[in-house]
């Protein structure tokens, strides 16, 4: 399900900051060579992630779900001078692809790509976070949230992608993934530690600012 028409999306992209040549090429190569290219954040959401990161100026960013590295490169644009971004994904093939683009970027020394299951890796990261992007397997969104919330600094922001799940969250009968996302949305929006905003950008972005 597309939430806005292609012509409106093109209009929004035309009047937003353009993609860099590297991101444009990454987007193109992902569509040519990698399965499920719809997973890539894309121009408009990528510019949103970049702008938000620039406003926060994070020192430490955690991304769960790298895929081909598009969103990692966008989020890294806002890192503070000595900032670092850790991104985690178990898929060795897409990780190799992502690495080849990260290495050609201005952020090659700032992005660390870790191969593995985020559920196993995060508890061993001795780190606090200013910005977290959850964009992996939907059934574990609540698990990822529980793993990062205590390590998120006050004023820090957790973003979760695909929280409208192609609009299925409002269906009466929900499949497993839809139910997991719906329960995640309910859990975080009623958490007193957070200021939630569910933004209907692309497939839905949940923004959670920790008080
Ligand atoms: C929607 S894609 C990420 C898209 C990327 N963030 C972007 O916007 O370009 C989801 C990714 O989550 C990864 N993933 C699945 N299970 C995971 C896990 N347990 N830990 C970390 N990543 C996982 C998948 O391999 C896939 O590459």
């Amino acid at each position: 399900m597309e939430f806005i028409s292609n012509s409106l999306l093109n209009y929004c992209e035309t009047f937003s900051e353009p993609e860099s040549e590297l991101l444009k090429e990454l987007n193109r190569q992902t569509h040519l060579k990698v399965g499920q290219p719809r997973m890539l954040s894309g121009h408009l959401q990528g510019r949103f992630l970049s702008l938000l990161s620039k406003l926060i100026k994070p020192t430490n960013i955690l991304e769960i779900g790298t895929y081909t590295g598009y969103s990692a490169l966008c989020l890294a644009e806002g890192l503070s001078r000595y900032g670092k971004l850790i991104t985690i994904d178990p898929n060795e093939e897409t990780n190799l692809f992502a690495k080849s683009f990260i290495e050609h970027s201005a952020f090659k020394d700032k992005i660390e790509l870790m191969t593995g299951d985020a559920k196993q890796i995060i508890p061993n990261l001795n780190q606090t976070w200013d910005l977290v992007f959850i964009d992996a397997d939907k059934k574990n969104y609540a698990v990822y949230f529980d793993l990062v919330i205590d390590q998120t600094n006050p004023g820090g922001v957790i973003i979760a992608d695909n929280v409208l799940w192609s609009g299925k969250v409002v269906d009466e009968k929900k499949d497993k993934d839809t139910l997991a996302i719906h329960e995640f949305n309910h859990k975080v929006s009623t958490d007193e530690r957070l200021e939630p905003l569910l933004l209907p950008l692309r497939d839905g972005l949940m923004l959670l600012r920790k008080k």
Side-chain angles (χ1 to χ4, degrees):
M1 177 188 180
E2 305 299 340
F3 291 110
I4 60 170
S5 65
N6 276 336
S7 53
L8 259 185
L9 178 64
N10 288 338
Y11 185 87
C12 294
E13 289 175 352
T14 302
F15 291 99
S16 299
E17 190 191 40
E19 282 176 303
S20 66
E21 284 309 312
L22 185 79
L23 287 174
K24 211 183 279 180
E25 187 57 13
L26 170 49
N27 200 339
R28 205 176 75 85
Q29 293 287 339
T30 300
H31 278 81
L32 281 175
K33 297 182 180 160
V34 187
Q36 295 183 276
R38 256 182 73 94
M39 296 209 294
L40 178 144
S41 279
H43 181 178
L44 199 62
Q45 182 166 305
R47 287 308 83 208
F48 176 77
L49 294 174
S50 161
L51 185 64
L52 189 73
S53 182
K54 285 172 184 163
L55 292 172
I56 296 170
K57 302 184 185 73
T59 301
N60 288 302
I61 304 178
L62 174 67
E63 178 182 65
I64 306 169
T66 316
Y67 187 48
T68 54
Y70 192 96
S71 50
L73 286 166
C74 295
L75 291 164
E77 291 175 25
L79 280 170
S80 65
R81 191 161 171 203
Y82 300 108
K84 291 258 181 211
L85 180 150
I86 291 178
T87 181
I88 307 171
D89 202 297
N91 187 323
E92 292 183 7
E93 220 169 289
T94 48
N95 283 356
L96 270 181
F97 187 99
K99 269 186 192 154
S100 69
F101 278 87
I102 291 167
E103 264 155 32
H104 286 97
S105 77
F107 309 107
K108 67 174 175 36
D109 299 324
K110 289 178 167 277
I111 297 179
E112 184 180 354
L113 172 46
M114 303 181 81
T115 302
D117 179 350
K119 295 187 289 305
Q120 313 289 326
I121 292 176
I122 295 170
N124 298 313
L125 298 173
N126 190 17
Q127 193 91 69
T128 61
W129 310 108
D130 305 302
L131 183 54
V132 177
F133 186 41
I134 302 175
D135 191 15
D137 49 327
K138 310 307 157 193
K139 67 177 187 307
N140 282 312
Y141 267 30
V143 175
Y144 297 131
F145 172 82
D146 288 338
L147 284 173
V148 299
I149 184 63
D150 289 340
Q151 273 65 49
T152 301
N153 294 318
V157 175
I158 300 171
I159 311 169
D161 196 11
N162 307 106
V163 294
L164 294 177
W165 206 228
S166 303
K168 289 194 269 182
V169 284
V170 292
D171 288 353
E172 209 147 283
K173 254 194 137 196
K174 297 176 178 58
D175 60 34
K176 248 187 180 172
D177 278 347
T178 310
L179 195 62
I181 294 215
H182 176 66
E183 284 172 354
F184 169 80
N185 287 337
H186 184 263
K187 172 186 165 83
V188 296
S189 63
T190 52
D191 188 320
E192 303 245 305
R193 296 168 292 183
L194 304 166
E195 293 165 29
L197 171 68
L198 202 170
L199 203 61
L201 177 61
R202 209 176 66 121
D203 196 23
L205 283 180
M206 178 65 90
L207 306 187
L208 304 163
R209 181 181 178 275
K210 189 165 170 187
K211 293 176 191 166

